[in-house]
Amino acid sequence: MGQLHLGVNMYNAGIHAAAWRTHDDPFAYLDIDHYRDIARIAERGTLDAVFLADIPGLREDPRVRPTLGLEPTVLLTGIASATTHIGLAATASTTFNDPYNLARRFSSLDHISRGRAAWNAVTTYDPVVAPNFGLPELPDHDDRYGRAEEVVDVVNALWDSWEDSALVGDRRGDLADADRIHTIDHRGPHFSVRGPLPLPRSPQGRPVVVQAGGSEPGKRLAARTADAVFAAQTTFADGKTFYDEMKGRAREFGRDPSTLKVLPGLCTVIASTEAEARSRKAELDELGGQEWAIARLAANLGVSADELDLDAPVPEHLLANLDEKRGSRGFARAVAGYARQGGLTARELALLGGGGHRYAIGTPEHIADTIEHWFRNGAADGFNLMPDVLPSGLETFGTTSCPNSGDEGSSATTTAGRPSASTSASHGPSRYEPTAGAG
């Protein structure tokens, strides 16, 4: 079965839009110490990695929610010096970055962190970004993924442009063997890149590669090139289907399926009783209002908010033909899965973060059961956790829900370029699979 992998998405003040309103300092999301505290808590809990999402543009309404403003690799460099074991994963767009800069940036982070870097390669689906890079609109979906395929291949080639034995370090002779450092001389439809990098191979050989797309070309890219895929399935049935599909696709590319880790997102709201957890969620919803949540749901569905009857289930015609709509196809399918399974109203669905990831609301045992059920029954190799409020929600998770969280013999490191196991499921058989909206 392998071991359970857990990471945490350091989404500013927390995944809930009202999280910043609970902080003593509403501007903590701009403070390096805020993120260092999160990373230290995650490291003590023996999680595999901390993760930073990124949107290189102002998408969130700055009146109601912190922006994803700090550049992830710069921020993770600061976190590296405050931690020793935990993996450091950052998003960087293949649409708005050139491969040489990406390869150099993540190799630098890997050297600085002594082998803990991971790159989440995304194509960027938000149209607000394009004008920041001189484009009137985003390239078409297939064009973005065509570029992404080439970017990932070139980045990997640049990481391999130094052989393992290229560094010599002979004080009376050569520092490096020039015959073991190679140009890549890439010529493709999007890029011409000579290489090599000015850096030798990183401490883990190359950084871990993560992919997060749920569309057909995204799944193909992940199955061919990624070490892990961030998934967005919200129901166990959809998660199991996606898991089996990705393992099968990896096998078709000649890979050992166990080398591709499937990690769905899991939003957590934890308290000592289910009633207290639901009260905590309700208080956050009241603090944040509903407008942001409704807007997020509409965006995930690729519709306008006025098309939604908030007190009725989302109609089937808004859940159909999702691949024809702009935006994240993975998120759109996740919303559709939630809507079809649970019979939720549009308002209820919106207050579950717009449906983009599964919500687990309840006791520590409840959250642990959800994680274990998916893991033991072949729907996930682990989860990318998104606590409601950071760092308090993560601290609660780490001390009450995290399997093996007190085992100092387990370390969250990345080894030989691949995600390592930092935790293992230690509970008995799952008692139940919570319903949508409850976990």
Side-chain angles (χ1 to χ4, degrees):
M1 178 182 295
Q3 291 180 294
L4 176 69
H5 297 275
L6 296 174
V8 60
N9 186 345
M10 299 191 293
Y11 200 101
N12 288 331
I15 196 63
H16 198 286
W20 67 273
R21 300 178 188 272
T22 71
H23 281 228
D24 292 336
D25 178 6
F27 307 116
Y29 74 99
L30 297 172
D31 188 341
I32 182 65
D33 288 334
H34 168 71
Y35 297 95
R36 283 174 170 162
D37 286 345
I38 296 168
R40 289 187 187 108
I41 292 167
E43 188 165 79
R44 287 199 301 270
T46 66
L47 271 64
D48 286 70
V50 292
F51 164 63
L52 286 167
D54 186 45
I55 300 168
L58 183 60
R59 182 182 71 178
E60 302 285 1
D61 184 339
R63 297 171 298 177
V64 300
R65 191 173 196 178
T67 62
L68 290 171
L70 296 174
E71 201 284 322
T73 54
V74 173
L75 182 53
L76 287 178
T77 300
I79 292 171
S81 63
T83 55
T84 57
H85 298 300
I86 197 160
L88 307 170
T91 295
S93 173
T94 59
T95 305
F96 299 109
N97 285 285
D98 285 346
Y100 191 89
N101 283 337
L102 285 170
R104 188 183 184 199
R105 192 186 316 163
F106 279 90
S107 183
S108 297
L109 178 60
D110 211 40
H111 279 281
I112 290 166
S113 66
R114 296 183 174 89
R116 295 186 280 142
W119 169 37
N120 178 36
V122 303
T123 63
T124 303
Y125 63 84
D126 201 308
V128 73
V129 175
N132 295 335
F133 294 87
L135 299 177
E137 60 183 12
L138 283 177
D140 289 340
H141 183 272
D142 289 347
D143 291 340
R144 297 201 308 273
Y145 271 98
R147 176 184 167 108
E149 292 267 359
E150 188 174 352
V151 168
V152 173
D153 288 345
V154 173
V155 168
N156 278 315
L158 287 166
W159 284 338
D160 289 337
S161 60
W162 289 58
E163 296 180 23
D164 288 333
S165 55
L167 287 180
V168 178
D170 182 351
R171 288 182 174 84
R172 297 189 178 186
D174 296 330
L175 177 65
D177 184 345
D179 292 335
R180 296 176 182 177
I181 305 170
H182 309 286
T183 61
I184 67 169
D185 297 316
H186 173 84
R187 299 290 184 273
H190 299 93
F191 303 102
S192 295
V193 181
R194 181 177 182 270
L197 281 183
L199 287 169
R201 287 177 68 81
S202 69
Q204 56 177 334
R206 63 169 176 82
V208 170
V209 176
V210 184
Q211 214 281 326
S215 65
E216 177 63 27
K219 289 185 286 188
R220 183 176 63 247
L221 178 61
R224 184 174 70 84
T225 67
D227 302 302
V229 55
F230 287 154
Q233 284 64 46
T234 52
T235 69
F236 175 80
D238 287 345
K240 174 67 174 171
T241 297
F242 183 81
Y243 184 92
D244 290 343
E245 179 186 1
M246 293 308 299
K247 299 294 184 173
R249 284 174 178 259
R251 188 179 293 108
E252 290 172 0
F253 280 108
R255 299 180 58 185
D256 176 352
S258 68
T259 63
L260 176 63
K261 306 302 181 184
V262 178
L263 306 173
L266 185 67
C267 305
T268 58
V269 184
I270 307 174
S272 58
T273 68
E274 183 175 343
E276 289 176 3
R278 293 193 174 280
S279 176
R280 174 183 172 105
K281 175 66 163 58
E283 290 174 4
L284 286 167
D285 291 343
E286 185 175 357
L287 271 176
Q290 298 183 10
E291 291 78 9
W292 69 270
I294 295 165
R296 174 62 60 84
L297 172 61
N300 283 341
L301 287 172
V303 302
S304 62
D306 57 14
E307 294 180 70
L308 300 172
D309 181 346
L310 297 180
D311 297 311
V314 179
E316 181 60 33
H317 75 272
L318 295 183
L319 304 177
N321 303 317
L322 296 176
D323 283 353
E324 298 176 7
K325 300 175 181 178
R326 298 184 75 87
S328 169
R329 296 180 183 179
F331 279 167
R333 291 194 185 99
V335 173
Y338 244 156
R340 287 172 175 144
Q341 183 209 45
L344 303 170
T345 67
R347 190 187 310 276
E348 291 169 334
L349 191 58
L351 291 175
L352 291 175
H357 290 289
R358 185 176 181 83
Y359 250 88
I361 305 170
T363 64
E365 294 80 8
H366 175 106
I367 276 70
D369 281 350
T370 296
I371 291 171
E372 185 180 2
H373 180 76
W374 283 54
F375 175 67
R376 290 194 182 277
N377 292 283
D381 294 305
F383 287 89
N384 192 29
L385 304 169
M386 290 172 276
D388 53 352
V389 178
L390 287 169
S392 62
L394 176 62
E395 196 154 31
T396 301
F397 178 90
T399 56
T400 61
S401 305
C402 181
N404 207 31
S405 63
D407 182 1
E408 294 183 0
S410 177
S411 62
T413 62
T414 51
T415 306
R418 309 293 72 73
S420 76
S422 64
T423 59
S424 59
S426 57
H427 300 282
S430 296
R431 296 188 296 275
Y432 61 92
E433 165 62 5
T435 57

